[in-house]
Structure formats: structure tokens, C-alpha cells
Amino acid sequence: MKLRHFLFVLLAVPTFIVHSQTSITLEESILGARQFVPTTVQQLNWIKGSDSYSYVKDNAVMTGKPKGKGVDAKLFSLEDLNKWKGGDAMASMPQINWTAQGAFWFEDAMKFYEVDLKTSTAKMVCEYTKEAQNNDYHVVSHNLAFTKENNLFAVVNGKTVTITGNEEGVVSGQSVSRNEYGITKGTFWSPSGSKLAFYEKDENDVTEYPLTNYTDVPASVREIKYPFAGAKSEVISVGVFDFTNTQMTYLELNGGIKNDQYYATNLGWSPDGNTVYLALLNRATTDMELKAFDASTGKEKASLFKEHSDQWVEPEQPVKFVPGKDNMFLWFSQRSGHNNLYLYTTEGRLVGSTNANWEINEIIGFDAKSENAYVMGTGEVPTETMCFKVSLKDMSITPVSQAHGVHSTSVSYTGEFVIDQFSNTTTPNKIDLTSSSGRLVRNLHNAPNPFADRKIGQLELFSIKANDGSDLWCRIIKPSNFDPKKKYPVVVYAYGGPHAQMVTNRWNGGASLWMHALAEKGYIVFTLDNHGSSNRGQAWEHVIHRQLGTREVEDQMLGVAWLKKQSFVDAERMAIHGWSFGGFMTTSLMLKQPDAFKVGVAGGPVIDWALYEVMYGERYMDTPQENPEGYKQADMTQHLKNLKGKLLMIHGTDDDVVVMQHDMKFLKAAVDNKVQVDFFAYPGHPHNVQGKDRLHLYTKVIEYIIEGLK
């Protein structure tokens, strides 16, 4: 299939400069960034069960129809909703969640309300206390699951039900596996709300790790559970609680053998609520098996299919049943080399699959007859996100999105219309109402340029060739007063790790605003997405297996080589900065390519993957016992003697993702090897430094770079 997209070489943001404009400041870019967010239509959604849409304007809910005359009507105001609700008045319109035409629910002050527009009534159907965490409201049954400390509870018919009473070290109803493999929460309601599936983890054998609170006098210690690569990990169980008979059942995972050698991921329910589907993944992440379990007995009903990879298998989404067809579901898999959709029966028979040579990432809806699924994917340009229609008859793909860029799309009940919100490097935010074939029905919003009264850097997206002939996508920001006859120092911002894409054809190209503030000081800011980053397919990602920091550094150096060829680049004044995996990349480049950069600032860096956690580290590196040479080469202390430039390490003292022991190991090695490095800690901050302290952080980063490049 040939799509209506072409590979483009250059995308540029037009520069609007007049003498009265001022440059964006670092403080504005960090603490005042909200003023530069493009305007949008608030709460724009399809009304469930119809082809009408709604949105919030001036504290009123408005509605419109694609087939109307383009004149929208007011459904109700905040004053109306407060009157129906009673009690304390809300100051602004809450989030409206449609359940049918004329019916919706909302949450206010720890209470859930159901509204019937026909009768102009709002009924409180469920409430909770401030101690409740991980709230999971089920709209059909009006039940609410929540956790307190390590246990799971539910509010059913206005009464609180205690579901678990765990011993110390066992946690129920919370996310597991450190949010890897598509796991983002710990509770899963059955379609009717009569059953609740939940994750449970036994962490008794997981290493306890101390985090120090330096604000206490004397300092206090908080112990967390941290599963180091190659060490003991959590043991996962999946429970099902049936509210009709208060029966608790645990699924017989791993043949009933409980250990830390498997992951239970991508939990999904059958439409009738009798079956739980799970992707069971071995700890080595090389083999996945999709299994069906009886929700009442916990017994395994069927093994539907298996997947294998010598590198890793990475299920990210649960089964998606086709509406109205209770025996057919869709499954995402990279088994073809790219993320495609596979249509299966509940007996495990493959009916068909898409055949895209690009990434399909999300199912956003179906048409009324379930003849087509609507999906989001990259299309042929990996920096974009587009909407497509997939025929469930032959799994053919038809483009819906027309404009290049990053789209966010929602589908009407019939599938006849879509609301298409998108941006690109020249379009801040545009919202169109279109047909499912992409024909424009009407424009709903065009955001003005939020930088109209600011000098803003010249931003470009382009690609260079990797050594294997593939495209390495790059972003460059030049000062607003860029003069091609001058030579500018360069700051490379790097991330480079899996599940991240820095360079995208969206407004501002995916760049952070502090990069523009730095560019206005007379710097070039450059970013490249190397092999291992997301949205490029399995081969692109798998090349990093067992050797993190090898191919990624090679690709980044191709970016450096390109920069050095540009007449406007001062090749003797180059710096690099990155955070987390980007901190690892920064350190890797400073030590493995010591002549490339004069200055480096590594934030929250991984220094030794043996000090990182099981679920991420072992997937990409295997265990330290299985891959000792790979771990040794990726251990930055092994290369510390190579350092020539100035290197600043930054870390939050409460970091529970990349623990500060990484820096301590590096600093001790620096002392032992008589190598000078700089270090700064942010007390009380976890993996990311946020709030007002973030301004301090980037003031330090930029001042260190400027001083080092003098």
C-alpha cells in the first residue's frame, strides 16, 4: 500500500521577528511556560452514542453536530450544574464524562455524580475519603476501587468492602513491574463491575534500599524496595474478587508456581466478564504466551498463542475485543518487524493482520457496525502521528489524517466523522471536524502563534544517514538573529533510550522551551534520535541489546560529524547535556569520545546498569551474570580515565528510579583515579527536579555550559 505521505528533508518554523519583540527568558521557559502553550478547545469530545460533540466555553457546555449548519447550542451552564448538584458550588466546570446521549458523570470534592439532562438532575452515586489512593471508578456499576497503604478496598452500593488484609511486604491493587510492559495501574473492573481483577506483589525478597531525608534533624531514612538487575525481584499474583458472592480467586499463573521468573502483563477482560486474558512473559523477556483464565476458578482455560525473540518481546497493550463480536479481539505485536494489528478469535485462530512497515500504536475506536477500527500510527514518516482506518474484513489500511504533523484524533459513534487535532512545526494547534475519509467538514479552532511577542529561535527538523543507511532524525534550534557567517557554540541535548522520541513534527518540534532561551544567548541547540529510540521498528530497537551505550554513541557521533561540517558551528566549543538515559549518554560520550565535547552535564545518570532495576535493565542487557562483558563496557567508571572536558553530575537525593548510588560510585572512582569531576545534589527531589527548583537546575546547567565553553 502506498500512502499519501512523502519523506521530507526539512521542516522549518518561520521566524516572526520585529524590533519590539523580546527574547524568551529562562525563567519564562521554566516557570511561565503555560503562557506559551497553544490555545485549544476545552473538553472537546464526542457525546457517546451519537455524532454530536460537546465542549466547554465560558463555563458552559456547548454542543454541535457535523451535519448541522455549524451553529452550536448551549446544553447547560455551570450555574445549572451547581443547582442540580446542590451543596457547595463548583468554581469551574468539572470534567464531563459522557455515558449516553443526555447522560454523563463527573467528580467533585471526593464524590461522583451521575447527571440526567432529560430530568435536569444530578445524583451522588459514590464517595470516598481523603485517605483513598489509586481510585478506579466504574461508571456502569458506580463502584469504586481504591487502596490504603498496601491493601485494596472498594465502595459498593455505598458501603466499603475490604478486599485484602495483607501481611507486611505484600501490596495489592497497585501497579507492578515498575510500570513496564504497558502496566500503569493495579485494578481492572469487569465490564459489568461485578468483579474486580487486581495485581498483587510480594516484595519480601526484594532488596531494601535507603533514601535519606536531610530535612529531618537528625536525618531520617526511608526504605524502599528496589529490585536490582540479576537479584531477587517481586513475585506477581493476580486476584479476582467477585462482589456477588464475596469470593476471592487467584489465577494459577506459571502453572501455580510462584516465583520471580515471570511477568503477568496486559490484563484484559472478556465482554461477558467470565474470562481474564494475560500476557505471561518470562523474566528473560524472550518468550510471551497469551493465556485465558477462568475468572471464577482461576484455572487456565487456554493458551492462545506464543511469541519469541532472541532479544526481547514487549507486549504493551491488552486484548481489544471488537464491539458486538464477543469472540474476536485485536492484538498488537512487532512479530513482523513493526507494530501491527492481529485479529484473533477467542480460540486462538488468526483471522488476519495489517502489514504496515511502520508503527501502529493505538486503537482509538470503531464504527457503529464494527466493520472498521480506527488507529493511530506513524505512517511512513516516523516523526509523525497520523490516524488510519483499518478494515476488519481484509485488514487493509486507509489514511484518515491529511496534514503532516502529530495528530490526536477521536471518532464519532458511527465512525462517519472524526475530530482531528494536530500541530506541526508551523502550526501551533489546529482542530478540524472531518469525515472519516479526511474531507474537511469545518474548522473548529486555529491557535494563534503563542510566541508572537517573543523572539524565538529558528527550528528545523531534518535527517542524516546512519551507517546502515537508515535515517537519523535531528532537530536544530538557531538563535532568532542567526547569522550564517558567524560561528556558534553548540549544545547537544541527548536522551537516546528506548520508549522515547525527542524529534517529532509537532509544534516546537518536541523541544523544551529552555532550549530557546539558551539559543537566544547565542548557542545552537541540537538533538538526534539514535538507534534504540521509539517508533522505528523492531530491528532499529533491538540493535542495542546487551550493549547499551555502543550503537547509540556511534549514532550521536554522526550527528557531531554533521555539525562539524557546518560553516556556522564552532567545532571547538561543543557541550552535551541529558537526563536519566540521557545522563548515561552524556557520560558515555564524554568518556568514550573525549575529544568531541568540551563540557558535559549529566542529570540523574545511570553509571552502572548492575545498579539499575530488573524490569528495564534485564530486558535490554540481560542479567549481569549472563552478560558480564556488556555490563563492564557500559559501566562508566571503566572509562573514567579518558575524561578530558569538564563534567557536572546532578542528582535528586530522593531518586527512587536511578538511585544516587550511581553518582557515588562514579565520584569514588574519580577520586581513586585522580580525575576531577563536579557534582550537585537537589535535596528532597526524586528522579526529576520540578517546581521552582527546576529554574535553579537549568540556571546551573546553562551557566556551567557557558562557563565551560569560554
Side-chain angles (χ1 to χ4, degrees), residues 51-272:
D51 276 350
S52 296
Y53 57 86
S54 70
Y55 59 94
V56 173
K57 181 180 180 181
D58 298 329
N59 266 335
V61 173
M62 310 293 292
T63 184
K65 297 180 179 180
K67 294 182 178 180
K69 298 179 180 179
V71 178
D72 297 343
K74 184 169 77 172
L75 277 177
F76 59 90
S77 66
L78 177 62
E79 183 180 359
D80 294 329
L81 190 57
N82 278 324
K83 180 181 178 181
W84 302 336
K85 180 180 77 73
D88 294 337
M90 298 178 289
S92 60
M93 189 67 70
Q95 182 67 43
I96 303 300
N97 305 276
W98 294 101
T99 56
Q101 294 187 59
F104 64 90
W105 67 271
F106 69 92
E107 181 182 358
D108 176 60
M110 298 184 290
K111 296 178 181 179
F112 294 90
Y113 295 85
E114 296 278 351
V115 176
D116 186 337
L117 290 179
K118 293 180 180 178
T119 59
S120 299
T121 56
K123 180 183 179 182
M124 195 275 287
V125 293
C126 184
E127 62 181 322
Y128 59 94
T129 63
K130 63 181 180 180
E131 292 80 16
Q133 296 180 316
N134 301 299
N135 293 336
D136 186 1
Y137 177 65
H138 188 258
V139 62
V140 174
S141 64
H142 309 318
N143 295 338
L144 176 72
F146 65 94
T147 65
K148 285 197 291 187
E149 297 181 343
N150 288 355
N151 282 297
L152 177 62
F153 304 84
V155 177
V156 179
N157 296 324
K159 297 181 179 180
T160 300
V161 178
T162 300
I163 297 176
T164 64
N166 294 327
E167 298 178 355
E168 189 170 348
V170 178
V171 181
S172 298
Q174 299 183 32
S175 182
V176 298
S177 303
R178 294 179 70 85
N179 291 335
E180 298 291 343
Y181 310 108
I183 299 171
T184 59
K185 62 175 191 166
T187 53
F188 309 86
W189 288 104
S190 67
S192 69
S194 62
K195 300 184 184 76
L196 179 70
F198 60 93
Y199 279 125
E200 191 168 273
K201 57 183 177 180
D202 185 336
E203 297 181 299
N204 279 295
D205 290 335
V206 177
T207 302
E208 288 194 346
Y209 194 88
L211 296 179
T212 303
N213 182 353
Y214 294 103
T215 60
D216 290 343
V217 180
S220 60
V221 173
R222 175 170 65 95
E223 299 281 353
I224 63 169
K225 295 289 187 177
Y226 197 94
F228 286 101
K232 289 287 188 179
S233 187
E234 61 195 30
V235 179
I236 303 301
S237 301
V238 175
V240 178
F241 189 83
D242 190 332
F243 292 95
T244 61
N245 56 17
T246 65
Q247 177 180 328
M248 174 72 82
T249 303
Y250 282 88
L251 307 186
E252 294 185 0
L253 309 180
N254 198 40
I257 301 172
K258 288 189 175 184
N259 57 37
D260 63 355
Q261 297 301 305
Y262 62 88
Y263 300 107
T265 74
N266 308 115
L267 191 154
W269 281 95
S270 62
D272 62 9

Side-chain angles (χ1 to χ4, degrees), residues 509-569:
S512 299
L513 287 183
W514 67 261
M515 298 178 184
H516 284 286
L518 178 58
E520 289 304 282
K521 293 180 181 291
Y523 288 78
I524 300 293
V525 184
F526 177 85
T527 296
L528 177 149
D529 279 331
N530 50 246
H531 279 81
S533 57
S534 65
N535 280 331
R536 298 298 299 275
Q538 194 175 64
W540 171 276
E541 297 170 2
H542 282 185
V543 72
I544 67 173
H545 188 233
R546 291 173 63 92
Q547 52 178 353
L548 291 181
T550 302
R551 185 59 176 272
E552 304 97 310
V553 166
E554 176 186 308
D555 286 351
Q556 291 292 333
M557 288 305 296
L558 292 173
V560 171
W562 179 89
L563 285 165
K564 288 183 175 181
K565 291 178 182 178
Q566 309 310 305
S567 61
F568 54 84
V569 166

Side-chain angles (χ1 to χ4, degrees), residues 8 38 63 112 159 202 232 241 256 264 327 351 408 426 440 453 520 534 583 613 631 635 651 673 684:
F8 50 92
T63 184
F112 294 90
K159 297 181 179 180
D202 185 336
K232 289 287 188 179
F241 189 83
N327 68 329
V351 177
S408 176
T426 58
L440 178 66
D453 64 347
E520 289 304 282
S534 65
E613 47 93 341
Y631 274 83
D635 180 351
H651 221 106
N673 287 278

Side-chain angles (χ1 to χ4, degrees), residues 179-445:
N179 291 335
E180 298 291 343
Y181 310 108
I183 299 171
T184 59
K185 62 175 191 166
T187 53
F188 309 86
W189 288 104
S190 67
S192 69
S194 62
K195 300 184 184 76
L196 179 70
F198 60 93
Y199 279 125
E200 191 168 273
K201 57 183 177 180
D202 185 336
E203 297 181 299
N204 279 295
D205 290 335
V206 177
T207 302
E208 288 194 346
Y209 194 88
L211 296 179
T212 303
N213 182 353
Y214 294 103
T215 60
D216 290 343
V217 180
S220 60
V221 173
R222 175 170 65 95
E223 299 281 353
I224 63 169
K225 295 289 187 177
Y226 197 94
F228 286 101
K232 289 287 188 179
S233 187
E234 61 195 30
V235 179
I236 303 301
S237 301
V238 175
V240 178
F241 189 83
D242 190 332
F243 292 95
T244 61
N245 56 17
T246 65
Q247 177 180 328
M248 174 72 82
T249 303
Y250 282 88
L251 307 186
E252 294 185 0
L253 309 180
N254 198 40
I257 301 172
K258 288 189 175 184
N259 57 37
D260 63 355
Q261 297 301 305
Y262 62 88
Y263 300 107
T265 74
N266 308 115
L267 191 154
W269 281 95
S270 62
D272 62 9
N274 293 327
T275 305
V276 174
Y277 292 86
L278 278 170
L280 275 297
L281 188 66
N282 65 334
R283 177 162 165 171
T285 68
T286 54
D287 293 281
M288 187 278 296
E289 191 170 3
L290 184 67
K291 293 189 175 186
F293 294 87
D294 189 306
S296 297
T297 66
K299 301 288 186 182
E300 181 181 324
K301 297 172 66 174
S303 173
L304 301 179
F305 55 83
K306 299 178 181 181
E307 294 186 12
H308 171 80
S309 169
D310 290 340
Q311 290 77 37
W312 66 80
V313 182
E314 199 168 23
E316 288 287 322
Q317 300 188 49
V319 295
K320 182 73 172 183
F321 275 86
V322 179
K325 299 179 180 179
D326 291 358
N327 68 329
M328 300 187 76
F329 64 85
L330 289 162
W331 179 257
F332 283 93
S333 174
Q334 277 194 324
R335 68 184 70 161
S336 69
H338 289 277
N339 216 28
N340 274 283
L341 273 180
Y342 294 79
L343 182 63
Y344 277 95
T345 68
T346 49
E347 288 77 35
R349 179 175 64 86
L350 178 62
V351 177
S353 67
T354 57
N355 189 32
N357 62 351
W358 38 268
E359 303 300 287
I360 300 175
N361 293 323
E362 180 186 7
I363 300 170
I364 61 170
F366 299 84
D367 56 25
K369 295 182 179 180
S370 295
E371 295 175 340
N372 299 284
Y374 291 83
V375 302
M376 304 301 293
T378 62
E380 293 178 354
V381 184
T383 58
E384 301 190 334
T385 300
M386 314 289 278
C387 180
F388 301 88
K389 180 166 62 176
V390 176
S391 167
L392 297 184
K393 181 178 180 180
D394 59 11
M395 303 303 286
S396 60
I397 305 173
T398 305
V400 175
S401 302
Q402 301 297 306
H404 287 290
V406 172
H407 292 250
S408 176
T409 307
S410 59
V411 185
S412 71
Y413 169 72
T414 62
E416 187 177 352
F417 300 99
V418 301
I419 293 171
D420 181 37
Q421 176 170 290
F422 76 96
S423 73
N424 53 41
T425 57
T426 58
T427 306
N429 185 30
K430 186 177 182 183
I431 306 176
D432 287 333
L433 178 61
T434 77
S435 69
S436 59
S437 63
R439 176 182 58 83
L440 178 66
V441 176
R442 73 175 68 104
N443 173 255
L444 299 178
H445 184 70

